[in-house]
Amino acid sequence: MDSRAVKAAHEAARRASLTLEAQCALAPYTSLGIGGPAAALCAVSDIEGLCRGLRHARELGVPVLLLGAGTNLLVSDEGWPGLALRLQLTGLVIDHERCTVRVAAGVKSRLLVEETIAASLAGLEFASGLPGTVGGAVAGNAGCFGGSFGDRLIRAMVVDAEGNAHSIEDPAWFHFSYRGSRLIAEGAVLAEATFALCPGDREALQSRAAELLGIRRDKHPLPGEKTAGSYFKNLPPEQPGGRRRAAGELLDAVGAKAMRVGDAIVFERHANIIVNRGAASARDVLELADQMSGAVRRTFGIVLEPEVRLVGPRPAG
Ligand SMILES: Cc1cc2nc3c(=O)[nH]c(=O)nc-3n(C[C@H](O)[C@H](O)[C@H](O)COP(=O)(O)OP(=O)(O)OC[C@H]3O[C@@H](n4cnc5c(N)ncnc54)[C@H](O)[C@@H]3O)c2cc1C
């Protein structure tokens, strides 16, 4: 890691009065368990600290990486040449009368789903079993089983890349798209979101959630396996409003389940999931992903786009 990058990132953290973590390794903060160190790593547990961190990093020209639970990231073996902020904002308030839930970005999506179901509120049960935080889910407009986070968001608190907090009253601000939003495009940070729900029957919601959990258990690696979920995005629908074709179908057809590079393997039961079965590097994962997408391109003439986000420099060559 370039010593100037480390010095600048440490200086940004110092000016922002953020406490540096002793270890800067990012691998332990990702579900793939892969990646080199950050130049500086700090946990952020309040909006003021987040604003200061972003402001001073911007002033010093230090790149910022926002880390939720790291379940959708592939961190480069060279790490992140800037300030990594682990978002630890917590808090969840249900308004039973208005059927809304206000939740901080660092809360686990799984907890949000459980709490809203326990309050007999419907609308987020599609996300039952979704790993990661609310911040990561809104930033990437995470979705599954016909729902996505952007569909339910009505208000938010966002901190822009300069470190200024804004109250967003119009969800159109987010420009939600398939696995994307303005947050990612602009390096803005979700601090808090409010979702609109509707009254529901608790038992029916619980049984739907259990059903979706069962589907995940059958299709996905077991908890404890190192993975970032689907590696490639599904294909755009052929007609407006139509269904997306699963990238996994194409990958299965080209024999991806037999592919591996080092300890990076394609999951035996889902051709669009890469698992780190030991000490895989980011380079191994990228090479495996190239083999998978290359086979699809040669057979079907279709270019797959990664859903997992690469953080830090891509290895040369
Ligand atoms: C087994 C498994 C199954 C999965 N299934 C699904 C699925 O069905 N559907 C789906 O969409 N995804 C799925 N994922 C991917 C992932 O879990 C989700 O995208 C999740 O919402 C990411 O949240 P995170 O906190 O881990 O984000 P991270 O991985 O930490 O970050 C993802 C991106 O969001 C940014 N980010 C994080 N927090 C904030 C914030 N507060 N403000 C702005 N930007 C932020 C990060 O900088 C990064 O660019 C799966 C992953 C796994 C491992």
Side-chain angles (χ1 to χ4, degrees), residues 98-101 121-124 151-155 194-198:
R98 291 193 172 84
C99 291
T100 60
V101 56
L121 291 174
L124 288 171
D151 301 342
R152 290 278 164 189
L153 185 141
I154 52 165
R155 268 192 304 282
T194 301
F195 298 97
L197 304 171
C198 10

Side-chain angles (χ1 to χ4, degrees), residues 47 50-51 54 157-166 187-191:
I47 295 184
L50 174 61
C51 293
L54 291 166
M157 172 77 77
V158 166
V159 182
D160 66 28
E162 281 83 36
N164 305 305
H166 304 272
V189 187
L190 183 89

Side-chain angles (χ1 to χ4, degrees), residues 29 31 50 64-73 87 89 105-109 126 129-145 149 179 181 183-184 187-192 216 220-221 225-230 273 307-309 311:
Y29 299 112
S31 56
L50 174 61
V64 174
L65 166 66
L66 302 159
L67 278 174
T71 62
N72 204 28
L73 299 178
L87 295 178
L89 309 172
V107 170
K108 294 275 160 55
S109 299
F126 73 86
L130 181 83
T133 63
V134 172
V138 171
N141 193 17
C144 41
F145 305 114
F149 273 70
R179 302 296 179 267
S181 77
L183 293 170
I184 302 261
V189 187
L190 183 89
E192 184 183 286
R216 280 186 182 274
H220 290 169
E225 283 252 57
K226 294 191 252 177
T227 177
S230 294
I273 292 182
E307 179 171 327
V308 173
R309 293 166 205 278
V311 161

Side-chain angles (χ1 to χ4, degrees), residues 6-57:
V6 173
K7 221 169 138 188
H10 280 225
E11 179 59 13
R14 191 193 65 76
R15 290 190 193 178
S17 306
L18 296 175
T19 308
L20 288 167
E21 307 222 341
Q23 302 288 332
C24 292
L26 293 175
Y29 299 112
T30 71
S31 56
L32 267 169
I34 290 176
L41 174 65
C42 300
V44 173
S45 49
D46 55 45
I47 295 184
E48 294 74 25
L50 174 61
C51 293
R52 290 197 305 275
L54 291 166
R55 187 174 317 127
H56 290 292

